[in-house]
Amino acid sequence: MLEDLIKSGQKEIQVIIFKLGSEEYAVPINVVQEIIMPQKATRIPKSPKYVEGVINLRGNIVPVIDGKKKFLLKEKSGNSTIDKRIMVLEVENETTGLIVDSVNEVINLNINEIEPPPIDLEENTEIFCGIGKYNNRLLILINSEKFMAINEEAKKIEAFSKVTEVIKKARIAV
Amino acid sequence: MSLEEYLGLFIDESKENLQVLNGNLLKLEKDPDNTEVLNEIFRVAHTFKGMAKTMGFNYTSDLTHNMENLLDPLRSGKKQATGKVVDLLFSCLDKLEGLVDSIVDKGSEHEDTSVNQLVKDLQAAIDNKETSERDTSVCQKLEFNQYEQIVINEAIAQGLNVKEVTVCISNECVLPGVRSYMANSVLENMGEIIKYQPSVEEIESGVFLKTKDFDYVIKVLLITHEPDENIIDKIKDISEIAEVETSDITAETQINQKLKENNIEQTEEIQQPEENKQEDNQSQKAISKVVNQTIRVNAGRLDKLMNLVGELVINKTRIFELSKGLENNDLLNSVGFMENITGEIQEIVMKLRMVQVDQVFNRFPRLVRDISKNLKKEVNLVIKGKEIEIDRAVVDEIGDPLVHLIRNSLDHGLETPEERIRNGKSAKGTIELHALNEGDNILIKVIDDGKGIDPERIKSKAIAKGFITEEAARSLDESAIFNLVLKPGFSTVEVATDLSGRGVGMDVVKSKVASLGGTVDISSKINKGTTVTITLPSTMAIIQALIIKIGEEIYAMPLNCINEVIDITANQVKQIQNKEVITVREKTIPLIRMPEFLETPDYVDDPEKPITVVIVKSHEKYLGISVTELIGQQEVVIKPINKKLCSEHYISGATTLGNGEVALILNINNLV
């Protein structure tokens, strides 16, 4: 995906920054259909734990997944839930909601400021496009197609947590 | 606009035209002299040619052009549609289908030299005069189609004369076309012409009727007041006219003709009752009228519209609730009015999704024709109830199972003509395809009058394959035995034929139908025939549902599989092999405790309270489902949910309730 961006000759991409736990993530704005307030979801029995359920979005039944639960990120204690939002993403013609801790801003990210994922994750890097640098902030760029998949492998989740760890350290070093 | 943009339209129309062509060719085969059918075939070929030319599909236009050339003499009666000719037209149709398919796939025709071969065949058929040319003698009468008959009757009723005028132009005439034209215009001045033979276009291209003595003969059917002498005199005034004859057409001649037609039909189609056929014709006419009044709509937009209407209904309910609190009569009135309108809109939108089963059925006459020819069996396919409406989603899916069933009937069900005669049946077998409404369901029956299924054979086969034990087999009733056929891997035919017998047929039918929320049932009598009944919900989009509470969560269950609801006490639940069962009217029914099964959070079981059990039935099996509370019966709109979310498929979809919340719909078929 990063290569595609470079090939396309675009200088900047517009991304939405959101938070899961303490880290900042970004997705290209064109996959975000809308951002809505959290609402009560109907539980689906025997579905994966991170599937919060389904909600009624203007007559369409939309599954909602909990980003933090999906990627095994720790719930930070005392975190306020006021900023919680559901980002409705449209990926490969499927609409899925993603519960995030907050949606912060929309920025233009310079392509040159995006680096490939920092560590060797073998083939499991496909969830990420890379790390974006923006005003001394490190943003984890998400490949939404892989990120939102409902039946992903455990390995990828592991890779995800690893990257998150690395970013954390990098940020402390900065 | 580029041609690309017309491609979709071309494909749609081509498919429709192919279907019309197919249907009419089948009719032609039965009734080779039917000019109406020939005209329709010609018209379709012509339209096809025009469209293909515009789009630059040369093979298609070339092929249809040559079909036209062959059809033209057929329709003017100069050639007869022999079996050979019809077969040739059928292979043209197949080729056209192939070409259209490749256009669908690749947007262009595939290079196909076999088209040239077909074109050669067509040209050979056109030139071949011996086999197909008709005996053209002067006594050949004009034939009338239905419309013309009506006009004739009308004219006679009004006291006008109807005359058949035969004009023979001398053989030496250099421009017979001009002479005939002059004769026509003379006749036109004397009355109303209802039929030319040959047609004006044919005369223009130099085609005439022939007699022993004359090469250029035309016949005209004229409604007039003028006496015969006047007509003859006036035409004889034209130079190079050698002979003129007139003869009166009376009501009597028509009756004779009708009788003759009836005789033909009766001798040709002993199997098919007359009424039936007429009914068919009528319904077909009705359909073609309906088709003319339709427009094509993108299916996605329809779905969206339905979604929005669903939302509208929900919001209306909320406004209604709110306005009740305000106690404003004007407001209540207008909300009530709105309620009626939204209800009507919803109903119409639902109906938009319905299409006639004819869309599926119309491919079967051809299928049956081809297979029966292949198997050398004689079959009469009777189709009933093709005007029954069914959800579009079902129509798309039900075709393949029906193909399977019909192939089975043809291959295994019906006997060869010799065998049938030996068994005291008529040589021609009958397969009936019958759609009918029954309550909220639609039944599609495939009925054959073949040899039937031997329950003993099924039993021994099932035992040999290890599906059931001998003991269990003994206690099975007949219908249960027949339904063993539906099990995967079951096939009683030792040798797999080209058509069926690989043991993958019936269970595929069953699972496909089950995925549509329907059931399959088989009944059979040895030597009398087999009936396979497919029961389907009439709509996929809306079902009657029982709304229930499990713990604090709300679910919907399709009403059509609910047998009854009972209250039991905890001590009525017994254990058999570690499974809970209950006994209802001496039947032992397994019980599923839903809160546990669905892992409902925060559910506390109260052993003192009576348990509400919903008894459901699916595939002849019963199951008790314990629920916490019954809420009521309601029409719900089924909405699909992401299949990956419910890996075990006991949720078939979701629906939105009046308050906007989502309730899941339990898939009973997969629970049982």
Side-chain angles (χ1 to χ4, degrees):
Chain A
M1 194 172 166
L2 183 57
E3 289 92 29
D4 292 345
L5 279 174
I6 293 164
K7 263 185 227 151
S8 75
Q10 256 177 293
K11 289 225 159 54
E12 285 181 340
I13 68 167
Q14 219 174 19
V15 295
I16 287 192
I17 301 177
F18 62 93
K19 259 188 162 180
L20 283 176
S22 51
E23 296 314 311
E24 286 189 310
Y25 300 82
V27 279
I29 198 158
N30 53 6
V31 302
V32 181
Q33 188 187 310
E34 62 194 297
I35 294 158
I36 55 173
M37 296 300 285
Q39 48 178 285
K40 189 176 164 264
T42 300
R43 183 186 72 98
I44 298 175
K46 305 194 184 187
S47 58
K49 284 277 178 294
Y50 55 81
V51 175
E52 195 70 15
V54 286
I55 57 166
N56 174 11
L57 186 66
R58 290 188 301 283
N60 289 312
I61 307 293
V62 176
V64 175
I65 65 180
D66 186 320
K68 266 192 302 195
K69 278 191 195 151
K70 173 157 180 171
F71 295 104
L72 311 171
L73 304 176
K74 278 177 207 104
E75 187 78 49
K76 231 170 79 182
S77 58
N79 217 1
S80 124
T81 57
I82 294 171
D83 294 332
K84 267 202 177 183
R85 295 289 182 277
I86 300 178
M87 283 170 65
V88 181
L89 309 186
E90 202 184 324
V91 180
E92 287 174 342
N93 289 327
E94 294 236 21
T95 308
T96 313
L98 176 70
I99 300 179
V100 298
D101 285 334
S102 63
V103 178
N104 301 29
E105 58 195 305
V106 177
I107 59 154
N108 286 321
L109 191 61
N110 195 323
I111 298 282
N112 298 331
E113 297 289 309
I114 302 175
E115 289 172 12
I119 49 162
D120 177 26
L121 297 165
E122 285 146 31
E123 281 94 59
N124 299 315
T125 54
E126 52 189 6
I127 303 182
F128 313 100
C129 300
I131 310 294
K133 274 187 269 181
Y134 180 75
N135 293 349
N136 285 338
R137 283 154 76 184
L138 291 174
L139 308 170
I140 304 173
L141 242 69
I142 302 294
N143 178 354
S144 47
E145 280 157 40
K146 304 291 174 199
F147 185 79
M148 296 304 280
I150 280 167
N151 45 354
E152 83 303 313
E153 298 149 42
K155 254 191 177 172
K156 288 178 190 155
I157 293 181
E158 229 169 76
F160 187 91
S161 337
K162 257 193 205 165
V163 171
T164 309
E165 281 307 304
V166 171
I167 296 290
K168 234 181 214 167
K169 279 178 201 151
R171 199 157 48 115
I172 291 161
V174 168
Chain B
M1 223 197 282
S2 72
L3 285 179
E4 293 270 297
E5 289 171 59
Y6 289 116
L7 191 61
L9 196 67
F10 171 78
I11 290 165
D12 280 353
E13 284 196 5
S14 299
K15 288 196 164 164
E16 209 169 275
N17 280 328
L18 284 170
Q19 254 170 23
V20 174
L21 207 54
N22 188 10
N24 279 307
L25 280 175
L26 287 164
K27 272 195 219 153
L28 183 67
E29 197 174 33
K30 282 189 182 163
D31 184 7
D33 291 327
N34 191 334
T35 33
E36 225 175 306
V37 170
L38 276 164
N39 279 333
E40 181 67 15
I41 296 174
F42 185 84
R43 188 193 62 75
V44 173
H46 187 76
T47 322
F48 228 115
K49 183 180 83 174
M51 291 193 308
K53 266 223 170 108
T54 322
M55 299 295 294
F57 297 136
N58 291 331
Y59 285 112
T60 312
S61 65
D62 202 25
L63 185 58
T64 42
H65 176 71
N66 279 288
M67 282 169 78
E68 256 187 302
N69 286 348
L70 174 62
L71 286 161
D72 204 32
L74 291 178
R75 127 185 126 124
S76 58
K78 262 181 270 84
K79 264 176 202 277
Q80 206 155 12
T82 54
K84 253 191 186 164
V85 173
V86 176
D87 277 346
L88 182 58
L89 287 172
F90 265 124
S91 42
C92 290
L93 169 69
D94 288 341
K95 183 51 66 191
L96 280 176
E97 260 172 1
L99 287 167
V100 171
D101 281 348
S102 85
I103 291 168
V104 172
D105 288 346
K106 294 180 290 197
S108 67
E109 297 171 305
H110 53 86
E111 297 283 310
D112 198 337
T113 45
S114 59
V115 171
N116 297 335
Q117 183 54 44
L118 267 177
V119 168
K120 268 185 209 149
D121 288 349
L122 282 168
Q123 276 159 357
I126 297 163
D127 295 336
N128 182 0
K129 288 184 179 159
E130 280 165 52
T131 53
S132 49
E133 194 143 4
R134 267 194 190 187
D135 174 25
T136 51
S137 63
V138 80
C139 59
Q140 182 197 338
K141 288 268 173 207
L142 281 173
E143 283 170 13
F144 315 120
N145 63 26
Q146 237 175 332
Y147 167 72
E148 286 153 3
Q149 289 277 12
I150 294 168
V151 175
I152 292 166
N153 287 344
E154 194 79 341
I156 291 170
Q158 287 181 11
L160 291 162
N161 294 325
V162 182
K163 290 183 192 300
E164 183 182 316
V165 183
T166 311
V167 179
C168 305
I169 300 163
S170 99
N171 290 354
E172 288 82 44
C173 178
V174 189
L175 292 168
V178 176
R179 296 300 164 210
S180 68
Y181 181 75
M182 289 166 78
N184 279 346
S185 55
V186 168
L187 290 169
E188 257 167 8
N189 286 331
M190 286 190 283
E192 200 180 335
I193 298 178
I194 36 181
K195 193 179 178 91
Y196 297 98
Q197 201 174 343
S199 70
V200 177
E201 298 91 46
E202 283 169 335
I203 294 174
E204 275 170 12
S205 53
V207 178
F208 282 93
L209 300 177
K210 287 180 171 53
T211 65
K212 272 200 283 302
D213 300 325
F214 299 103
D215 286 342
Y216 311 118
V217 178
I218 57 168
K219 280 169 186 276
V220 169
L221 192 64
L222 182 72
I223 300 176
T224 181
H225 280 301
E226 306 272 336
D228 284 359
E229 308 85 64
N230 272 6
I231 300 173
I232 293 172
D233 284 352
K234 281 201 176 150
I235 293 183
K236 283 217 167 157
D237 282 349
I238 305 165
S239 55
E240 289 181 308
I241 299 287
E243 196 125 356
V244 182
E245 278 173 34
T246 57
S247 64
D248 283 319
I249 305 280
T250 58
E252 211 175 303
T253 42
Q254 297 157 49
I255 292 165
N256 283 338
Q257 202 155 13
K258 264 214 171 137
L259 274 178
K260 205 177 86 194
E261 271 168 25
N262 280 356
N263 277 337
I264 292 169
E265 267 174 34
Q266 272 162 10
T267 45
E268 275 183 358
E269 303 196 24
I270 300 165
Q271 296 294 313
Q272 193 168 0
E274 182 87 359
E275 288 161 46
N276 213 332
K277 203 181 162 187
Q278 272 169 4
E279 224 172 68
D280 269 15
N281 284 340
Q282 269 166 11
S283 62
Q284 201 140 37
K285 275 193 188 130
I287 289 163
S288 55
K289 267 182 207 151
V290 173
V291 169
N292 290 337
Q293 292 170 354
T294 57
I295 51 164
R296 287 177 201 290
V297 179
N298 179 319
R301 285 189 204 158
L302 265 191
D303 289 343
K304 194 161 186 186
L305 179 63
M306 192 159 72
N307 251 346
L308 291 173
V309 169
E311 280 314 282
L312 186 66
V313 170
I314 289 165
N315 274 301
K316 173 220 69 189
T317 316
R318 281 167 86 169
I319 291 175
F320 187 64
E321 293 295 319
L322 289 172
S323 62
K324 267 201 280 192
L326 293 172
E327 287 178 15
N328 179 331
N329 274 338
D330 286 348
L331 182 64
L332 273 176
N333 278 342
S334 62
V335 169
F337 184 58
M338 194 171 91
E339 188 164 271
N340 289 341
I341 293 175
T342 43
E344 255 175 67
I345 294 177
Q346 194 179 23
E347 204 171 298
I348 289 169
V349 169
M350 291 309 162
K351 280 195 187 140
L352 286 181
R353 289 177 56 95
M354 307 291 272
V355 293
Q356 289 182 334
V357 292
D358 191 34
Q359 280 202 4
V360 199
F361 283 6
N362 62 16
R363 63 200 245 205
F364 293 129
R366 177 72 197 278
L367 182 87
V368 170
R369 172 194 181 269
D370 287 357
I371 297 176
S372 57
K373 268 203 168 174
N374 197 355
L375 293 169
K376 300 196 173 51
K377 290 178 180 176
E378 287 174 37
V379 189
N380 185 23
L381 178 71
V382 180
I383 293 179
K384 284 187 193 163
K386 56 182 165 191
E387 70 288 345
I388 298 276
E389 290 194 325
I390 194 163
D391 197 277
R392 182 178 54 81
V394 178
V395 160
D396 292 344
E397 300 289 320
I398 201 66
D400 289 344
L402 285 177
V403 169
H404 252 304
L405 294 178
I406 287 176
R407 285 184 161 179
N408 267 340
S409 284
L410 278 165
D411 200 10
H412 309 316
L414 293 182
E415 313 91 329
T416 56
E418 303 84 58
E419 224 174 304
R420 289 182 66 88
I421 290 166
R422 229 179 298 135
N423 289 330
K425 299 187 198 175
S426 58
K428 208 171 187 182
T430 303
I431 290 183
E432 198 182 312
L433 196 57
H434 194 175
L436 61 156
N437 275 313
E438 197 189 82
D440 280 343
N441 291 325
I442 282 167
L443 307 188
I444 300 177
K445 294 186 176 194
V446 181
I447 306 164
D448 69 59
D449 66 345
K451 55 182 172 250
I453 306 173
D454 182 355
E456 290 308 314
R457 222 169 122 217
I458 304 281
K459 244 194 232 180
S460 54
K461 189 90 181 183
I463 295 166
K465 291 218 168 189
F467 288 139
I468 49 167
T469 62
E470 250 184 286
E471 220 171 299
R474 230 168 284 140
S475 64
L476 286 176
D477 61 10
E478 210 161 71
S479 80
I481 293 169
F482 290 134
N483 285 313
L484 283 174
V485 177
L486 301 172
K487 283 210 185 296
F490 194 98
S491 176
T492 54
V493 169
E494 317 297 332
V495 187
T497 66
D498 211 19
L499 298 167
S500 46
R502 293 201 174 80
V504 287
M506 288 309 280
D507 68 296
V508 171
V509 171
K510 186 188 163 188
S511 59
K512 190 93 204 186
V513 172
S515 74
L516 297 170
T519 55
V520 184
D521 194 58
I522 303 175
S523 69
S524 182
K525 280 236 153 60
I526 291 183
N527 214 11
K528 285 269 190 290
T530 308
T531 300
V532 181
T533 308
I534 295 176
T535 309
L536 291 166
S538 64
T539 166
M540 297 288 287
I542 289 198
I543 53 162
Q544 282 286 339
L546 182 70
I547 311 293
I548 53 168
K549 239 183 183 180
I550 297 170
E552 284 306 306
E553 295 174 336
I554 294 173
Y555 291 87
M557 292 166 85
L559 207 61
N560 59 6
C561 47
I562 294 173
N563 216 42
E564 60 180 320
V565 180
I566 53 167
D567 275 337
I568 55 165
T569 54
N571 57 22
Q572 277 175 289
V573 181
K574 304 274 181 318
Q575 295 267 338
I576 292 183
Q577 293 171 339
N578 281 331
K579 284 189 179 135
E580 289 189 315
V581 295
I582 50 171
T583 311
V584 183
R585 284 192 287 282
E586 282 157 30
K587 250 186 291 189
T588 307
I589 297 172
L591 176 74
I592 296 186
R593 290 190 190 250
M594 280 320 248
E596 285 164 35
F597 182 75
L598 297 177
E599 296 157 0
T600 311
D602 311 321
Y603 177 76
V604 198
D605 193 24
D606 179 2
E608 296 298 306
K609 248 179 82 181
I611 310 165
T612 306
V613 178
V614 181
I615 312 279
V616 295
K617 184 184 173 189
S618 169
H619 308 312
E620 304 299 312
K621 278 187 261 173
Y622 292 90
L623 176 75
I625 292 175
S626 82
V627 302
T628 315
E629 197 185 322
L630 299 175
I631 294 177
Q633 182 186 330
Q634 195 179 317
E635 251 182 13
V636 300
V637 182
I638 302 183
K639 297 180 175 181
I641 62 171
N642 191 327
K643 286 258 151 52
K644 290 177 212 149
L645 288 173
C646 36
S647 49
E648 287 172 53
H649 307 301
Y650 44 79
I651 304 286
S652 58
T655 188
T656 44
L657 298 171
N659 59 5
E661 263 181 49
V662 182
L664 301 177
I665 301 168
L666 296 171
N667 187 346
I668 301 297
N669 288 339
N670 288 347
L671 276 175
V672 174

